[in-house]
């Protein structure tokens, strides 16, 4: 037997210690409170976290644990969702109101505890109760473990670009008025970048977001769409953007002049400061696809400025508001960096229609939706109703009856020409709290099909607790015999929010390996308020590692 000298043993021990990743626990205090803010020449009071808008950036490493105490000092119920975090076996920390928890009442608090497992890149956090996320949001940056690195040269500068919307009124009042009248809500008054509309607006130049660079610097822009209701184009004048990640998953790199980010989505791009020293606008404006629907057509700006430059900033060329061709060309380029393992033997083949609907006006004030109706939205003709006595997760784990039914339809109750002329008899959905059960470990395919009731629209659909592969998308009605053969099962992108093409479909696949109750919904908050959602129950598997964690002792009560 070969003996190892003590110095050699000591050296190898020190080496292995040096390579060991020390995961940390980060403690944060989030105080949700009302705060004075001035935008567009007017003073407002908005709901913020720790008096900041956008809220604090969480900056951690893959493998770290977080303990985030949220204290509600505002006058509205609130919850916080950690968007895109897998929350393995731990839906208690996921945050959607009445889905995985009761809200934190005014004066109350709740501590979210979770560990980041095999995720790195840009995510974000936001309120998940009514429309509070209009101002309650922030970036969530997960860096590689110590000893690991990005799959691209380390940038000189990293900069979060958080896109949002600003209302000149209290957003809760805007939502209340829309739900009372049945009409579409007033659109926002400005698009924002890092909370600021930029200097194309009155009274806004002083606050405009600025990023100062030296010529030759490489910059990683972490672009997050935190807007409540709007897909957004983003571009930087005279600078190319190299896409390196979406939704905290690395991608094959490709270069583009413009990106489109749907609400809930993140896109990481590298930019090299290789232009003539000067000042260049970073700009964002709407990609809007619903026919005849009003939208915020303003342009938000921030400034990329080379040191010692004071020239007039140059605006980038942004696509037309309805430029679907640019969006399609962009999304078709997003792929995984190499071959991935996509589920091929499908256990659950689901087909979900989605989009608008209308409810007949009940006696009372005249409704202001089309033809005296009120707007609704649905998936498979079910307009989702949240409970209010207990969360769905508590109802499931404690076997509380009469809160939900496990009979969400796996396919539309009626087949029709989804993107053609839809018979009026199909315009009114059914209200319900219906969930769909999945066995642990089952391979799931969902085809999400847009419908043309009122109008087709590009919908950003977010699945909590999971990332999924986008194996196919297209326009018109999904045709399994024609479209399945064209699925990308080699290097499809992996995301947590899919922008389903306007008047089209998208097919996603994932393995149901995370037990709990997980919401799936449109990330346009107007559509969510109208019922565009459903939820999955993923049953426990075998043994502790496949079983839901017990609820925390400080879980808020309804």
């Amino acid at each position: 037997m070969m003996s190892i000298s003590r110095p050699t043993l000591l050296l190898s021990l020190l080496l292995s210690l040096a390579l060991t990743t020390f995961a940390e626990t980060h403690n944060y205090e989030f105080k949700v409170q009302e705060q004075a803010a001035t935008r567009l020449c007017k003073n407002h009071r908005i709901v913020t976290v720790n008096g900041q808008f956008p809220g604090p950036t969480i900056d951690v490493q893959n493998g770290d644990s977080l303990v985030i105490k949220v204290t509600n000092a505002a006058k509205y119920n609130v919850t916080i969702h950690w968007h895109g975090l897998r929350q393995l076996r731990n839906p208690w920390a996921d945050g959607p109101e009445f889905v995985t928890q009761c809200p934190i009442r005014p004066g109350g608090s709740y501590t979210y505890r979770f560990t980041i497992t095999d995720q790195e890149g840009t995510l974000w956090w936001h309120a998940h109760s009514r429309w509070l996320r209009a101002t309650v949001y922030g970036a969530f940056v997960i860096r590689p473990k110590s000893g690991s690195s990005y799959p691209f040269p380390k940038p000189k500068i990293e900069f979060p670009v958080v896109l949002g919307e600003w209302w000149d009124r209290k957003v809760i009042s805007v939502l209340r008025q829309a739900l009372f009248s049945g009409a579409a809500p007033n659109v926002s008054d400005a698009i924002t970048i890092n909370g600021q509309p930029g200097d194309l607006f009155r009274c806004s130049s002083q606050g405009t977001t600025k990023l100062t660079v030296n010529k030759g610097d490489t910059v990683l822009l972490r672009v997050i769409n935190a807007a409540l209701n709007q897909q957004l184009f983003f571009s930087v004048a005279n600078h190319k953007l190299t896409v390196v990640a979406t939704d905290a998953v690395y991608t094959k790199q490709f270069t583009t002049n413009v990106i489109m980010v749907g609400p809930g989505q993140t896109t990481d791009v590298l930019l090299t400061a290789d232009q003539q020293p000067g000042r260049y606008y970073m700009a964002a404006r709407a990609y809007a696809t619903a026919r005849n629907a009003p939208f915020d057509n303003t342009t938000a700006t921030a400034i990329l400025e080379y040191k010692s430059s004071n020239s007039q900033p140059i605006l980038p060329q942004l696509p037309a508001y309805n430029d679907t061709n640019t969006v399609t060309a962009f999304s078709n380029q997003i792929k995984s960096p190499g071959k991935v393992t996509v589920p091929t033997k499908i256990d659950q083949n689901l087909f979900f229609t989605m989009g608008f609907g209308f409810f007949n006006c009940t006696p009372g004030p005249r409704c202001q939706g089309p033809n005296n109706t009120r707007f609704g939205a649905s998936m498979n003709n079910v307009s989702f109703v949240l409970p209010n006595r207990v969360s769905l997760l508590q109802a499931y784990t404690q076997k509380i009856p009469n809160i939900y039914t496990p009979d969400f339809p796996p396919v539309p109750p009626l087949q029709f020409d989804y993107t053609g002329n839809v018979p009026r008899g199909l315009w009114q959905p059914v209200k319900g709290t219906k969930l769909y059960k999945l066995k642990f470990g089952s391979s799931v395919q969902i085809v999400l099909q847009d419908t043309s009731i009122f109008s087709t629209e590009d919908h950003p659909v977010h699945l909590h607790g999971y990332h999924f592969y986008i194996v196919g998308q297209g326009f018109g009605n999904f045709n399994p015999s024609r479209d399945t053969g064209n699925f990308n099962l080699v290097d499809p992108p992996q995301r947590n929010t899919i922008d389903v093409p306007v008047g089209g479909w998208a097919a996603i696949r994932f393995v149901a390996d995370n037990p709990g109750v997980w919401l799936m919904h449109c990330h346009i908050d107007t559509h969510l308020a109208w019922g565009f959602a459903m939820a999955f129950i993923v049953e426990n598997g075998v043994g502790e590692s496949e079983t839901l964690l017990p609820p925390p002792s400080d879980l808020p009560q309804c």
Side-chain angles (χ1 to χ4, degrees), residues 361-550:
C361 198
T362 47
R366 186 178 157 78
C367 291
Q368 290 166 18
N371 302 319
N372 190 28
T373 60
R374 60 176 53 250
F375 270 107
S378 67
M379 298 179 79
N380 274 0
N381 206 44
V382 180
S383 190
F384 192 69
V385 179
L386 283 170
N388 55 19
R389 290 192 290 123
V390 67
S391 75
L392 293 171
L393 183 59
Q394 287 165 296
Y396 166 59
T397 53
Q398 296 168 25
K399 301 184 170 51
I400 301 170
N402 307 322
I403 303 296
Y404 68 85
T405 53
D407 58 349
F408 184 86
V411 294
L414 281 170
Q415 287 193 331
F416 56 97
D417 180 0
Y418 307 114
T419 52
N421 281 326
V422 182
R424 279 198 174 238
L426 299 174
W427 284 24
Q428 179 156 324
V430 177
K431 289 189 176 187
T433 310
K434 295 175 182 288
L435 277 60
Y436 192 84
K437 266 190 179 168
L438 294 171
K439 285 208 176 332
F440 186 94
S442 56
S443 294
V444 183
Q445 174 174 295
I446 309 172
V447 174
L448 298 161
Q449 172 71 61
D450 188 22
T451 56
S452 55
I453 300 168
F454 178 67
S455 171
T456 52
E457 186 168 349
D458 176 293
H459 292 283
V461 178
H462 173 46
L463 175 59
H464 288 234
Y466 284 88
H467 271 68
F468 47 75
Y469 289 109
I470 303 170
V471 294
Q473 45 192 335
F475 293 101
N477 297 338
F478 176 70
N479 179 332
S481 55
R482 177 194 65 213
D483 295 323
T484 309
N486 296 323
F487 281 179
N488 176 4
L489 304 178
V490 178
D491 58 358
Q494 202 179 8
R495 302 203 74 149
N496 63 54
T497 305
I498 162 73
D499 247 282
V500 179
V502 52
W505 56 271
I508 66 171
R509 290 185 182 183
F510 63 96
V511 175
D513 58 1
N514 193 8
V517 175
W518 303 105
L519 188 64
M520 186 179 207
H521 65 97
C522 182
H523 220 277
I524 293 174
D525 269 26
T526 300
H527 301 175
L528 175 59
W530 287 340
F532 190 149
M534 59 82 62
F536 288 106
I537 293 171
V538 179
E539 297 176 320
N540 284 334
V542 179
E544 192 186 353
S545 67
E546 297 180 358
T547 300
L548 200 57
L549 291 169

